[in-house]
Amino acid sequence: MPKIIIHTNIKNEDIPDDFEEKVAQKVSDVVGYPIEIIYVSVTPGDRMIHNGSRDPMAFVDIDTALKFNEEVNPGYTVKFQEFFTKALNIPLSRLVLHYHDAKVSDYGVYRRAPEYKHEQYFSQ
């Protein structure tokens, strides 16, 4: 159920072709959901400013159900910061992460076999 929306002013041609797949895998590894239920959207070339600068940056919104809280977020932050700064070749000061805790009922999706392997994530 994780939904990751990445806004960046980095041009599309400067983002690795397999970036979305790598993001999905990293989120799966960090929060423990299977990759098949992770949604990733990247919006390159946004007009953005942060700390008075238009230098390359990324704003990463991560929504998921029942995974974020003040106890675990700092550990997630370290892992995501390392991943995104390397993947996008930006300094740590140019990355903003925003966690959104959601309820399962906040998502309207249809999930069934054969596309989805994990029955516990099938829609009701």
Side-chain angles (χ1 to χ4, degrees):
M1 288 158 291
K3 176 184 73 173
I4 300 86
I5 299 176
I6 303 162
H7 293 278
T8 182
N9 57 358
I10 299 169
K11 293 182 277 185
N12 190 54
E13 56 268 18
D14 294 332
I15 298 173
D17 289 338
D18 62 349
F19 181 65
E20 293 85 350
E21 290 86 351
K22 287 182 177 178
V23 170
Q25 186 60 61
K26 185 63 174 183
V27 171
S28 176
D29 294 345
V30 172
V31 300
Y33 279 124
I35 198 166
E36 66 186 349
I37 66 166
I38 296 173
Y39 305 91
V40 178
S41 176
V42 179
T43 306
D46 272 358
R47 293 177 55 146
M48 303 174 78
I49 191 166
H50 174 59
N51 197 24
S53 170
R54 292 183 182 273
D55 287 348
M57 67 162 296
F59 190 98
V60 181
D61 272 309
I62 307 175
D63 284 13
T64 194
L66 312 171
K67 293 289 183 174
F68 295 136
N69 62 57
E70 62 187 36
E71 292 178 19
V72 297
N73 289 359
Y76 291 160
T77 296
V78 170
K79 294 172 184 175
F80 288 133
Q81 285 174 330
E82 180 181 346
F83 171 79
F84 284 108
T85 57
K86 283 183 183 175
L88 295 173
N89 194 29
I90 58 174
L92 190 55
S93 62
R94 305 300 296 163
L95 174 67
V96 178
L97 299 165
H98 189 195
Y99 304 116
H100 305 271
D101 190 37
K103 298 177 292 203
V104 174
S105 61
D106 290 341
Y107 296 90
V109 298
Y110 180 81
R111 285 194 294 269
R112 289 281 189 268
E115 293 93 349
Y116 299 96
K117 300 175 197 90
H118 302 278
E119 282 188 34
Q120 71 267 33
Y121 300 112
F122 284 0
S123 52
Q124 300 298 322

